[in-house]
Amino acid sequence: MKDYRNLLSDLIAKYQKRVDFLSIRLENSEGTNIALRNGAVETLSEGISLGGQVRACYKGGWGFATFNDLSQLKERVEEAIAFARIIGDDETTLAPVEAVEVSCRLPLTGTNPRLIPLGDKKTLCDHYYQILKNYHPAINSASVTYYDAQQEIILATSEGSMIQQSWIDSEMRFSAIAQKTNQVQTGRETTGTRKAYEDLTNLDTQVESASKRAVNALSLPPVKGGKYPVVIDPILTGLFVHEAFGHLSEADMAYENPDLLEVMTMGRKFGGEFLQIFDGALPEGHRGSYYYDDEGTKATTTQLIKDGVLVGRLHSRETAGKLGEKPTGNARCLNYHYPPIVRMTNTWIGRGETPVKDLFSNISEGVYASNWLGGMTNGEMFTFSAGEAWMIRDGEIAEAVKNVTLSGNVFKTLAQISAIGDDFYWDESGGCGKGGQSGLAVGCAGPSLRIENVVIGGENSY
C-alpha cells in the first residue's frame, strides 16, 4: 500500500485540538470468494478495496465516518468531529496506552494465497465438492465455500501512534446433507488459517468426514433426553468457552448491563481450582492473532479465570477507562465500514492433568460429544448441537447416537466441570458475529472436559 502516513499525520495535527481523541484508520484489502452448491457456482469473485474510517471522541460522545475516496478524507474528518461534538455531554474516559510508531506483518509459514491463481482455487473447491457428493448415494446436497483476504492497515491517532499492520486470512467450509425417506441429517467441517495456502490443500479426510457423519446419522438411534455426565472433545470445548463464556467476558456487555456486571464480579468463584480460561491475540499463528488492535493497543494475553475465580475481562480503551481496569487489546472491527468494539481474539481453556481415558471412569451411563453442528446463546443460557456423539456405558464409549444437544446455564456448567483432560487442540474454524459484524476471525482451543449433570436434548427429553 502506498505510504499515506504524512497525509494522516497532517490531518491529525490539524484537527486534534477540536476533540479529546481522534483516529484515522486506512485499509487496503484484496480477496477471493468462491461458493459451490450442488455442482453450480454461486460465487466466483476477486475484489480490491481501499477505504477507511475516522473516529472522534468529545466529552464522551463518539463520531464515526467512513470513506472509500481519499479526496473525501478531510470532509469525513470534519464530519466525525461534528457528530462527536453534537453528541458529547459527559466526560471522555479512555484508559491510557503507550503511543507507538511501528510497522509489522503477521508471518507466513508457506505460500500467500493471494499468489495462487483463481483457477487453482476453483479447482480445489471442485475437488472437495466431488469428495462430499460422491461419498454415498444418500448425499443429496453438498456445498463448498472458499475465502481468502489480505488486509493492510495504517492507524494514526491524536496521541501519537502510527501503526502499519498487515495479515492474511483464509477459510474453507464444507457441508453435506444426507436424506433417507423423511430423515435428513447434516455434516459440516470448517477450517481456517493465517499461515499458508498449503493448510487448505490436504483436507480430503476432513472433508469426507462431513459426508460420513451425515450418512451414518441416518441409521443411528436418537439419544434419550435427560441429564447425564458428559465428556466433550477439545473442539466442542473451544466452542463452549467462546460462545457461552467468552461473550460474557466482553466488558461492553457488562458495563452496559448492571445485572451482568454484578454477576461478573471480580473474585467470584465459577469453577474448580483446575479451571483456567484465557483470551489473547498475543499467541502467534492463530486466527485471532495480531500485534495491535484497531485502537492501537498492543496485543496481550488476558487470564479471565484463574484457579476457578474470575480475575479478568476483555476491554477496549473506553470500557477499561469506565471500569477502572487496564486495556487488553480487544477492540476490533471487521473492516473499515464498522467501528471497533470489544471482541474476543483467541479464547481457550488451559490444559488439565487428567488422562483423557480417565475422564470416562466411573460413568455408568453418559454421553461423549464430539465436534459441533450448531448452537446459540442467550445471555447466561446456551444450546449446542454435537457433530457426533456416543453413549458412555460402564466407563467405555458404546453405541453412537444422533440429535445430541447440550444446554444449560454457563455459570452452573462451569461449576459442574469435574475434570480437565491432558490433551489440547486449536480449532481455527471460528468466524464470530457481534454488533452486525459477522465473520470476524477468531481462534478457540481447549482440552477434553468432563461435566456432570448436563441436560441432553433428544427423544423424551425433559
Side-chain angles (χ1 to χ4, degrees), residues 3 45 73 95 145 179 222 224-225 236 305 307 327 331 333 416 454 462:
D3 193 343
S45 67
L73 180 51
T145 62
Q179 184 170 6
K224 181 180 179 180
L236 203 49
I305 287 186
D307 302 335
C333 61
Q416 291 166 346
V454 178
Y462 57 92

Side-chain angles (χ1 to χ4, degrees), residues 3 53 64 104-105 185 245 253 297 355 361 418 428 460:
D3 193 343
Q53 60 176 240
F64 180 75
C104 46
R105 180 184 297 270
Q185 294 291 328
F245 181 76
M253 302 278 286
T297 303
S361 298
S418 58
E428 309 291 353
N460 302 318

Side-chain angles (χ1 to χ4, degrees), residues 131-147:
I131 291 175
L132 290 169
K133 191 67 175 70
N134 296 332
Y135 175 76
H136 192 277
I139 300 294
N140 69 358
S141 180
S143 65
V144 176
T145 62
Y146 173 96
Y147 146 88

Side-chain angles (χ1 to χ4, degrees), residues 45-90:
S45 67
E46 292 203 311
I48 299 174
S49 69
L50 175 64
Q53 60 176 240
V54 182
R55 300 175 72 221
C57 190
Y58 179 74
K59 292 186 177 181
W62 285 96
F64 180 75
T66 66
F67 58 91
N68 56 16
D69 182 349
L70 284 172
S71 67
Q72 300 175 351
L73 180 51
K74 178 182 175 182
E75 287 76 11
R76 297 291 83 78
V77 172
E78 293 176 346
E79 185 178 85
I81 290 173
F83 290 159
R85 292 181 69 88
I86 291 171
I87 297 171
D89 61 357
D90 194 0

Side-chain angles (χ1 to χ4, degrees), residues 182 401-402:
N182 293 327
V401 289
K402 66 182 177 183

Side-chain angles (χ1 to χ4, degrees), residues 167-188:
W167 62 86
I168 301 292
D169 189 65
S170 306
E171 182 182 271
M172 294 196 76
R173 293 179 177 267
F174 314 99
S175 175
I177 298 176
Q179 184 170 6
K180 182 173 69 175
T181 59
N182 293 327
Q183 286 193 70
V184 177
Q185 294 291 328
T186 301
R188 293 193 179 98

